[in-house]
Amino acid sequence: MNQLADFRHTMQSCNHCGQCKWVLGPKTRGYDFAEICPIHMQFHFDAYSGQGLLHIAQELLDGELQYDPGLRDLVYSCTACGACDTNCKSIRDMEVLDTILALRAKLVEDGQGPMPQYARMAEAMARTHNIYGRPHAERAAWAGEPAGLSATTSQPAPVAYFAGCATSYQRPDIARNTVRILEAAGIAHTVLGADEHCCGGPLWRTGQIDAAARQVQENLDALQRRGVQTIVTSCAECFGTLRGFYPRVADFPFEVKHISEIVQEALDAGRLRFSKPLQTTLTWHDPCLLGRLSEPYVPWQGEIKAFGRHVPAKAWRRGQQGVYDAPRRVLGAIAGIEVVEMVRNEENALCCGGGGGVREAFPEQAQVTAAERIREATATGADTLVSSCPFCQDTFEDGLARQPGAMRYRDFTQLVVDAL
Amino acid sequence: MEREVFTNPLRPEALRTGAALLQSFAADESGAAGRVPSQVIYPQSREDVQRIVHEAIRTATPLVPVSSGPPRFHGDTVPARGGVIVDFSRMQRVLRIDRASRSVRVEPGVTYGELIPQLRAQGLRLSLPFLPRANKSVVASRLEREPTTIPKYQYDYMDPLLTLEVVYGTGEDFRTGSACGPGTLDTLKADLVNPWGPGSIDYFRLVSAAQGTMGLVTWAVTKAEILPRLQQLWFLQASDPARLLQPIDALLRKRVLDECVVLNRAALATMLAGDGMRDYAALARALPAWTALLVVAGYERRPEERLALYAKALRDITAAQGVEPGRSVPGAPGREAEILHLLSNAWTKSADWRIRATGSSRELLFIAPMSQVPRLAATVDDVAAQRRISMQDVPCYIQPMVQGRGCHCEFVFPRLPTDSAAAMELDALHREAAAQLLRAGAFFSRPYGDWAQLVYRDYADGVAALRRLKGVFDPHGLFNPGKLCF
Amino acid sequence: MPLSRDVYAELEQVVGPRHISDKPWILAGVRAAQPSSPMKPPSPEAVLLPGSAAEIQQIVRICNRHGIRYIATISSLIGFAYPSGPGTIILQLKRMNQLVEVNAQDRYAVIEPGVRHGQLRTELMKHGLTYPVAAVGPGGSVLANFACSSGDNHCQHGASRTNRYLLGLEWVTPEGELVRVGSLANDAGWFCADGPGPSLRGIIKGFVGQWSGMGVVTRIAIGLDAWRGPPELPTQGRSPSYRMRLDPACHKTFVFKFPTLEQARDAMIAIGEAEIAQAVLKYFNASAALLATESANEFWELWDSGLFQRELARPLYVFLSAWTHEELEYEECVLRDIIAEFGGADVDERIQRIYSDNMDFYILVGALQRVLRLGGGWAPCKLSGDSIGHMFEVGKAIPEFITPFIEQGRILDAPDNWQIIPLEYGHSAHIELLFLYDRNQPDWGKVPMDFMRASMQADIRNGHHGTMPLRTVAASQAIGALFSNAHMWANRVKDAFDPQRVSNPF
């Protein structure tokens, strides 16, 4: 793993151009919905932005800034959504998000972080392997009922469905629907069952790298024992963590696919067909870790020479390879569904507001962002907000509860199952 | 302490004190109250101007700059508090005509009548005010932000003025924009066409529309344009100027037009009438209420193609607006070449077209967005109607400015100098119309005479700022005191 | 002078506790050194987020009462947008972000400081309107660009600098008075910047802005031009490989090369005289290579090939943008005549393809930040204006002083990395030289000042108006006398309006 000091080049390169705060020119569509950083949008001080966090990191490294609970709160107010990173990287060779995550890791390393809520989460995870501290034995309970999911086994298979904590404990319907989809598509698969641990994403993104790495190892062992080659997820957080974090701390010889990609492939191959029309106008929210942050991480060790030349050449993660098309194509293929786009979409999507642990530590802040995203979704004329992230779902449902009648939220898998 | 008397710091022939001459500066067409100046001095160089200023400082003598010949209309050259007239008419050198940078540098005494032919000889022209009188100073016209007839060449209200040299009230000289340096004009290789600055201040704006209160300009650079190879005049007519301004707005958005001006029948008849205005009445009867004169042009490269392209654009755009342009003057066919000539040259039919009808006139002028001009012009008609004053023979011209984003509107009220009762009526109308216009949203960007009181009365914040500026550039308060808010 | 708690409390009373901070971690966000400079700007004493002109007036009056310096900023992209000295508070105007009015009929928009280029440009397209958009990226403040900083843009050949497009405005003077400038003075609307009488607009901005050295501009109107494109410009591709295409029937981009600078100059003048084209540039070649590539390594691959050095040492970029296909055809004929007459030729088709594939000139040459990709030191130089002919004279003299820097390896070997952009159909032009230097070199911190000094000395020696003198006291005192004593007059104006010298004095 890179340390904070490894990102000096990024810190020193920042020109304060503001691209980490604003949607890229080619993607802007008018006065409204042009801001991209959830915290800058809310607090306005430059410190609350990718640029500000880079400069805070630099001053900390240089010993010009001392730790303080207020500083910690600021660092953890960021949703780590990566919008700053993708926007910056459209024009620069800088690692904004990795710097922010390394800053968090440094806070943890120096005993100044994480937020108490995340520390408690890590303690719970050490005991129960999930973020909620719920009994590990209940992790696979979603598979027990209703009847008809008998194919869900823990036997070896080349394809494994990785359900994740939020789905397993809070949103079992998503897990069941995912399995129904896999079955309908004729894909033999395994689940990790009791061998599945938290993916480690919440720990990684709150700077608790060692604890996260332990989860990684547990999961890798389980996957290897089952001879898995492809991991399927229905959770954006797990998806982005598997692709973006695992290769940082371990050999990771697995293909990771999102359920929307599986459905799209099955539709294209004729192995799956929608038979029921669904009358709805929906808009797709690109979860950060399914979209811009889901590109496979390719480790790079090298030197940054004069005038930015990276030796050896570096594979940049600029947000191009996120899962953007598959969910849109799948949903668009369901009769009666009209997919309308928000202004901030794909790699420029606005975070739901709850990412990076913000929903737990700063719930009101998360709701301000969620309200803004719901406003944007409503402006499309859609009646349904669809996504594929149980964390986004939590945040949006909190927000929608405050705006009765605005629209409804549906998980991607639910709509697919409804249309089968 | 007794004030010392201003003593000629220049050559003896540079000073004149003849009573008739002095009296001629004590009044103008505006009726502005003024005093007879004590002397008229004629500088011939920047150094002369500096000597004059130093002498004025020593003797606390007001200086009133004058560049154009009579008739004058705005009261700006009438000494409100006496003093010395600084007459720039002998600073009349055309210092440089530069085809490559399309610019010309002239002293303040250079007039439109002199400059236009010199430029034409080099394939250039000026974007002219509407029918400028031959003895009108080019520099004064530019400094006063007079509108010009080709709005596409105007990017803001300062255009086409570029750089200038000025002597401030301390006696120090200064050059603006890219004329500032480095070094002297002898060593500086720049073409002096960048108007902004130097640095963080647009000094050229500070002396604009200042009526000589901020500094004495000793030369200025103004834009010149390529002389068209081909021109084609088109006409639109309507009973209401709004019907003309809408298509003109559409045309200006697409930069189709060169010259473009809207005239009421009195203005066009005054423009076209022959010697002694003999045919004025017949023309006024025949002409439509409002006529737009629109010119499309071809320049040096593929002029025929350009002309055809832009003529087609003119037809298409006006057709889309529901009006049909014509090629001959409605009501005065066959006069097209003459109109083009008049639009391209200094006015020579009389001393000034504004006083053609009766030998004297009062002007009422304001600017506003084009969309507002018909409404504001109607305000003047209303005031006149209430006062039972006929507007039938009051020329009015509407001049789109700055790519059509703004518009100048000017009424020229003919006045019989011998009819004092009518003159008083007219003065009252003039005052009331100005007040009504101000209330209705007209902008007196150049607040001459009484208008200054009107516009500055409710502008305390701006007046305070302007007076601070005045304190910087004319700390002794020598330049044309009593004008504007100074 | 650190803020006393009493003064802090006074300021807090004005903006509310949520909108003021003097916490070190908040200040850290606004005091980092620019990559081009080894110097950290002075740390502000506090950052405030005022929400209205009335709040700014109160803040400014408090500053005057207590002798506290202030600077108003928005995006802080450029070095001047930082406190000029210690003891300064920063007023970040981001909360004042209303697009107050778009008047499509009279062609102006009224904006507050927080409205950004990305927002305004795309919003105006919906109304069939546009304005000269500076190459500062979508997050740049329109107001700052129009009223407070520079004003050049890449499409000014067929338009002008933003200086011409600034209309009525509201201004909080250095002492806290609110002045309505231009037609606003008489409630006549926003359409005009100048008057009544002498134009106060002149002290708001000159060739460059006041960088908050003359109070705070809180609201402006800008003039608008008609937009020749669609209400929404479809975007293809994903970051960073966006493509935007205007209708090829009416829009076309060309890149030509010339044997000599004089020929390029004469062609540029002729294009202006013919009044064709929206944009004409003698463009940077290293910057062009940066814009054409998507990473520093890709840039190096391209740059090492020598293609851009060979083909774009003396180029003219021309962007034709017409209302009709017939107009485009006419303009192309005239353009081809001119290029042929002055010995121009098409550039290598690999380069031409880059521009044919992505005709959105605004994006291609307007994404300033891409030019910063190499990450090291970077600074603009020259930054002046006069005729096309004179700007080419200035450009031609660049080797005089740039060569030693290249030979000593102090800057990137890119002597042709300068641009000339004409404006108002060639009535004048702007020059800018970009030089890049390697922060890994031991003396990198001295490079920018050494370079700019050498450039200024060359200009003075040659009688070239290649550089407007900097506003700094040192620079002014050293050379102000050579520039008509402009620094002296600027100081007198400053003293008249800011006697306490609290509005970000230099």
Side-chain angles (χ1 to χ4, degrees), chain A residues 221-238:
Chain A
D221 290 347
L223 290 162
Q224 275 157 355
R225 278 200 299 277
R226 284 167 172 74
V228 170
Q229 294 164 15
T230 299
I231 307 168
V232 176
T233 78
S234 56
C235 167
E237 185 93 1
C238 297

Side-chain angles (χ1 to χ4, degrees), chain A residues 16 26 29-31 40 44 46 51 59 64 68 90-93 306-307 310 318 320 325 346-347, chain C residues 25 29 31 40 82 92 94 97 119 122-123 126 235 238-239 242 294 296-297 300 372-373 438:
Chain A
H16 215 129
R29 291 289 175 264
Y31 173 77
H40 186 262
H44 305 294
D46 277 342
Q51 164 259 315
E59 289 205 1
E64 294 172 353
D68 182 284
S90 75
I91 47 172
R92 303 294 302 267
D93 291 353
F307 298 112
H310 283 61
R318 299 191 197 271
Q320 283 179 314
D325 291 338
E346 300 187 344
E347 72 272 32
Chain C
W25 55 91
R31 63 188 180 197
K40 277 191 78 156
Y82 291 87
Q92 287 206 319
K94 299 171 184 181
N97 62 356
Q119 295 176 291
T122 49
E123 190 66 35
K126 299 172 190 170
T235 309
R238 291 206 177 90
S239 173
Y242 293 117
E294 293 181 352
N297 284 39
W300 278 109
L372 316 179
R373 185 186 292 284
D438 175 12

Side-chain angles (χ1 to χ4, degrees), chain A residues 158-163 199 219-220 223 228-247 251-262 265 289-290 293-297 317 321-323 326:
Chain A
V159 175
Y161 170 49
F162 190 96
C199 67
N219 285 322
L220 290 180
L223 290 162
V228 170
Q229 294 164 15
T230 299
I231 307 168
V232 176
T233 78
S234 56
C235 167
E237 185 93 1
C238 297
F239 184 79
T241 302
L242 287 162
R243 278 188 163 190
F245 180 59
Y246 280 47
D251 285 338
F252 189 68
F254 302 98
E255 179 186 40
V256 184
K257 284 196 168 175
H258 184 251
I259 186 63
S260 63
E261 297 175 292
I262 298 287
E265 286 169 9
L289 283 147
L290 181 61
L293 298 183
S294 71
E295 288 182 19
Y297 179 82
R317 300 168 78 228
Q321 311 300 325
V323 177

